[in-house]
Structure formats: C-alpha cells, structure tokens
Amino acid sequence: MNRQAGLYVAPLLGALIALSWSLLPGHGAWARWDMGIFYGFNALIAEPGPWRLILAIINHRLFDLVSLSCMLAMLLTLFVRSDAQGRARWVAIALLMVVTALLLNRIGHLIPIERASPTLSMPGALRLTTLIDFPTKDSSGDSFPGDHGLMLMIFAAFMLRFAPRWMGALACVMVVIFTLPRIMVGAHWFTDIYMGSLSLCLILLPWLLLTPLCERALAWLTPPMASLLGRIGRQTS
C-alpha cells in the first residue's frame, strides 16, 4: 500500500474500530472479548505456583525498562549504522517521536471515556498484589486508553515509516509482547489497548507520518541535531 492510500485507509480503519465499540449496544463483541480475556487470565492467577511470580515480575514498573531498552537498542543500531547526516536525522526522528507521543497521550486523556481496570470493576476479580509479597501493577483507576500500549504503537509506527522492514515488523511484535502482561493481570481491558490506543494511532499518526508535514519537521530538526552532534564529536575527540 502506498502512502497516499495509507493516509485514507488507516484513519478510516481506526474510525471503524472506534465506532464499532462506541455505537454497538453494550459494545458488541468487544465486551465479550474483554470479559472472556479478563476472566480467562484471572482464573490462571488463582492457581498457586511460579506463574504468579512471573506475572508479578513482568508487570513491575521496573520491567517497563525492558521495553524501553529494546526501543533504545533499535534506535541506537540505526544511529550507529548511519553516516553523519543519517545520525543527525535519526536523532531528529527520535525527538519528533517523543513530541508526538506526548501530544497523543494528552489527546488520549481528553477523550471523554473514563473507566477503571477490570480488577477494580469486576465482581470476584483477583488482584495479584494480594497474592504476592511485593508491589506490582495490577490495576488502574482510569485505564482508557492504554498509555503503555500507545507509546509502543507510536514507536512501531515510526519504525514502519523510517526503519528497515524487518525492524518495523519487530516493533509490531514488541507491541503485542509488552502490552500482554498488563492485560493478563487485569491492569487494562483488552479494548483499552486494541481499540482505544490502536484507533487513536490509526486516526492521527498518518497525518504526520504519511504527509509532507513529517519531512518538513525533520528538515527543521535535523540541522541543529547535526550541529549538536558535531560539537559533541569535537569535544570528545
């Protein structure tokens, strides 16, 4: 699919996903998926054993550093493999990515949808924090949209736009791997991420990444990044 087609197809798909949740009575199949996924994983938490400890570890706040480290490693690989101008461009891309993430996160929290995570709203829900001896992330008073998933999807979108195809595909796999733990313990509904975060990215990101706006922003950001890297290089040589 070329960029011009993607500019219209992706927002249309995002809008259809959002409307299929918001307009269907009782949120339609989305609600059944939410309930089935939550109670299926919650039943696993009820079983004693190492499974609880694993879930607690991968949902600890410090484990978020693993996903951050993976993203930084991918960016560093692209940076190191580029020439001087390419390195300045990748720094500019990273900066644009951060600004985009902050803006979309803010827009996401302006959406007039507020709901607690399933562990705080569903009867009989087991909370992992009551079954282990150290704090971990298993709930949220306002879980929509999924911030963690949103950041990962923005990163994946930038990789699909600028990085080699294999790296873009890897970034998409990372979205699934690193959002799954929050869903498994009930800190997020499935739809917080794969309806809320996904539709937000599909609707808004193409207007940056698939239009001249992106290259204009990078043309403005890259020269000062090149100057900065040049000064750093001279000082360290």
Side-chain angles (χ1 to χ4, degrees), residues 4-86:
Q4 186 174 7
L7 179 59
Y8 299 104
V9 172
L12 178 60
L13 179 60
L16 289 174
I17 291 173
L19 291 172
S20 71
W21 180 85
S22 60
L23 296 183
L24 289 176
H27 304 309
W30 291 106
R32 294 192 295 273
W33 296 338
D34 268 341
M35 299 290 285
I37 290 169
F38 169 66
Y39 279 116
F41 283 125
N42 206 240
L44 294 178
I45 296 175
E47 299 295 329
W51 183 243
R52 289 179 182 174
L53 179 60
I54 293 170
L55 283 176
I57 291 172
I58 63 178
N59 278 285
H60 194 279
R61 292 290 189 182
L62 289 177
F63 194 80
D64 290 346
L65 295 176
V66 175
S67 60
L68 179 61
S69 297
C70 290
M71 290 188 282
L72 290 176
M74 292 172 69
L75 289 172
L76 183 60
T77 299
L78 293 163
F79 177 85
V80 170
R81 291 181 177 179
S82 301
D83 57 18
Q85 184 63 22

Side-chain angles (χ1 to χ4, degrees), residues 142-162:
D142 183 10
S143 66
F144 184 93
D147 293 344
H148 190 57
L150 184 63
M151 299 301 109
L152 287 162
M153 288 177 185
I154 291 169
F155 177 79
F158 271 77
M159 291 298 99
L160 287 169
R161 172 65 174 82
F162 296 108

Side-chain angles (χ1 to χ4, degrees), residues 168-187:
L170 178 59
C172 292
V173 172
M174 284 169 52
V175 173
V176 177
I177 291 174
F178 290 118
T179 58
L180 186 58
R182 294 288 198 271
I183 296 172
M184 292 173 74
V185 297

Side-chain angles (χ1 to χ4, degrees), residues 187-203:
H188 279 289
W189 295 99
F190 172 78
T191 50
D192 289 339
I193 298 167
Y194 291 101
M195 187 284 293
S197 301
L198 180 59
S199 61
L200 189 62
C201 287
L202 286 172
I203 291 170

